[in-house]
Amino acid sequence: MASQRYDTVIIGAGVIGLATAFRVAQRGLTVAIADPEPGSGASRAAAGMLAPVSEAWYGEEELLGFGLTARERYPSFAAELTELTGVPTGYTQAGTLQVAYDSDDLAMLERVHELHLKLGLQARRVTAREARSIEPMLAPTVRGGVHVPADGSVDPRLLTRALLLAVARCGVAVHRQHVREVTLTAGGADGVALADGTRLAAASVVLATGWQAGEIAGVPPAALPPVRPVKGQILRLHSEQPILTGAVRGIVRGSSVYLVPRASGELVVGATQEELGADTRVTAGGVWELLRDARELVPGLTELELAEVTAGLRPGTPDNAPVLGPSALPGLVLATEHFRSGILLAPVTADLIAEFLDTKRLPRAAARFSPARFSAEPLAAEPLAAEPLAAAEPAAGEAPA
Ligand code: GLY
């Protein structure tokens, strides 16, 4: 069978794999990327919110910092792609308005805003009246909100289209096929075999397969990170004109819902969060919950055409953060498991992985997200001490600890 040789082979052509291929090829390395349907997974379902501040949560401060860096990089990343390909990405920095439906929801939003204030993030508490002056289509019952002016959004489907053209311009070979297995030598991964038997030999293999990164033929399971698919059902509505100026993220009776407008008149309403394994069925209940909550915030949306219902699978790790850098298998590099933030983190992930592949040094910003954090030896249970809990008298000659 045919064999081709590259510096890097990337498995998975969602936005993470494509952005990484783009940056690696720009450094002069030869790159191939393999995926039977580029952009068809989580990248196709995603709303494309670039909203690290309005998605900030307690205990995820490092992820937030990474997201802020990514948000800063988006304007130039999007502009560069459009300049190279002529394809717009739908990038806009129109802000996010977080709103609360009832007083309990407002209390929850105020807790999130305390975190904003504690971390010095740019976010402003607004009254209900101010919220409605920002978004006049909001229901008069909305209790109040928090405005995050620097958040933005991008259209992930346009972004994928632009990235596919960009990688082609940079000489990346796109193989629209399944990877049958990662091939190994005594020293580690040395390429992949495609479904038709073609072998792509490479010095480095990058795994960017999202929720499927927990298993790939040829790779010892211990070299792969833990991952669970988290289903998100998401709606696409349509009107002639956008009915919102920026994204609205609401808490409605304790549940979260977001609405992301596009200049085309598309309004994305998402998303459920369901731990059901690799299930991508769209359900009546999922659609009903999203429309029920979205309508409480923006009643006028019931007039819009319901153009599409999709379900995607977010790749979740135990700490909700991505897995970036060399794995325990030499030659295999991970750029995966971005959970709720794959679109946001694509440019920064691509830069870090390209730097690593080019220089063999992992930038410091990636250290926190190293695969090694999941490979620590499990703690052995200590046998319960037989002594009473009160401090024992030190034996003669023995110094107290
Ligand atoms: N970041 C949006 C979502 O995961 O639904």
Side-chain angles (χ1 to χ4, degrees):
M1 254 308 159
S3 178
Q4 297 156 29
R5 171 158 289 282
Y6 300 91
D7 294 315
T8 303
V9 172
I10 298 175
I11 310 173
V15 290
I16 298 289
L18 287 169
T20 303
F22 179 49
R23 289 300 190 215
V24 176
Q26 283 180 317
R27 287 174 177 252
L29 303 182
T30 55
V31 184
I33 187 165
D35 192 320
E37 277 186 83
S40 64
S43 302
R44 187 176 146 70
M49 273 183 300
L50 308 175
V53 173
S54 49
E55 293 209 72
W57 194 242
Y58 288 90
E60 295 185 355
E61 287 80 358
E62 278 170 303
L63 186 58
L64 167 69
F66 202 45
L68 291 173
T69 306
R71 191 182 66 181
E72 255 170 45
R73 264 179 223 189
Y74 244 95
S76 59
F77 176 62
E80 182 184 352
L81 286 172
T82 301
E83 195 175 319
L84 183 65
T85 65
V87 176
T89 63
Y91 171 77
T92 169
Q93 193 204 329
T96 304
L97 183 62
Q98 295 178 269
V99 292
Y101 170 72
D102 65 20
S103 52
D104 287 346
D105 298 329
L106 190 59
M108 201 188 277
L109 186 54
E110 276 170 347
R111 249 193 95 215
V112 176
H113 189 48
E114 277 166 23
L115 180 67
H116 296 157
L117 296 176
K118 185 175 141 216
L119 299 176
L121 300 170
Q122 208 192 340
R124 184 173 67 90
R125 176 77 167 85
V126 293
T127 62
R129 187 188 291 261
E130 284 172 309
R132 280 195 298 278
S133 76
I134 297 168
E135 293 292 356
M137 292 296 280
L138 279 181
T141 45
V142 160
R143 289 300 184 102
V146 172
H147 189 228
V148 183
D151 276 356
S153 66
V154 68
D155 182 337
R157 295 178 184 181
L158 289 177
L159 182 66
T160 301
R161 199 184 301 165
L163 279 166
L164 271 168
L165 278 171
V167 299
R169 295 263 157 88
C170 294
V172 173
V174 180
H175 293 267
R176 291 177 186 254
Q177 288 196 57
H178 277 292
V179 167
R180 202 172 60 198
E181 63 177 340
V182 171
T183 55
L184 305 178
T185 58
D190 73 343
V192 303
L194 300 178
D196 72 356
T198 303
R199 194 169 128 59
L200 309 179
S204 302
V205 175
V206 178
L207 195 61
T209 48
W211 71 272
Q212 290 167 300
E215 198 180 357
I216 182 149
V219 178
L224 294 172
V227 61
R228 67 187 202 287
V230 181
K231 175 176 170 179
Q233 299 190 52
I234 190 160
L235 316 178
R236 281 170 164 82
L237 312 185
H238 201 270
S239 60
E240 289 300 313
Q241 298 290 328
I243 64 167
L244 298 173
T245 58
V248 170
R249 171 183 282 276
I251 309 174
V252 180
R253 298 184 199 92
S255 298
S256 163
V257 66
Y258 53 79
L259 299 89
V260 183
R262 308 223 195 277
S264 63
E266 182 173 84
L267 181 70
V268 184
V269 178
T272 63
Q273 192 144 314
E274 302 164 73
E275 307 249 358
L276 296 171
D279 167 20
T280 50
R281 288 172 308 138
V282 295
T283 63
V287 175
W288 175 72
E289 275 173 33
L290 290 171
L291 287 177
R292 178 198 63 194
D293 293 347
R295 191 185 67 153
E296 297 288 14
L297 304 178
V298 182
L301 65 70
T302 51
E303 301 301 318
L304 271 55
E305 179 192 355
L306 175 55
E308 189 188 302
V309 187
T310 319
L313 297 170
R314 307 174 184 91
T317 51
D319 60 7
N320 297 338
V323 184
L324 308 176
S327 73
L329 178 70
L332 182 72
V333 177
L334 305 178
T336 191
E337 304 194 9
H338 293 73
F339 192 37
R340 297 175 60 92
S341 309
I343 305 299
L344 170 68
L345 298 178
V348 73
T349 294
D351 288 345
L352 292 175
I353 299 295
E355 168 100 24
F356 174 70
L357 293 172
D358 189 17
T359 65
K360 302 292 172 252
R361 281 191 304 274
L362 190 66
R364 195 126 56 103
R368 156 69 182 85
F369 305 110
S370 157
R373 74 188 191 273
F374 295 123
S375 56
E377 288 294 313
L379 288 177
E382 290 284 332
L384 288 175
E387 292 87 40
L389 286 177
E393 284 290 310
E398 192 185 331

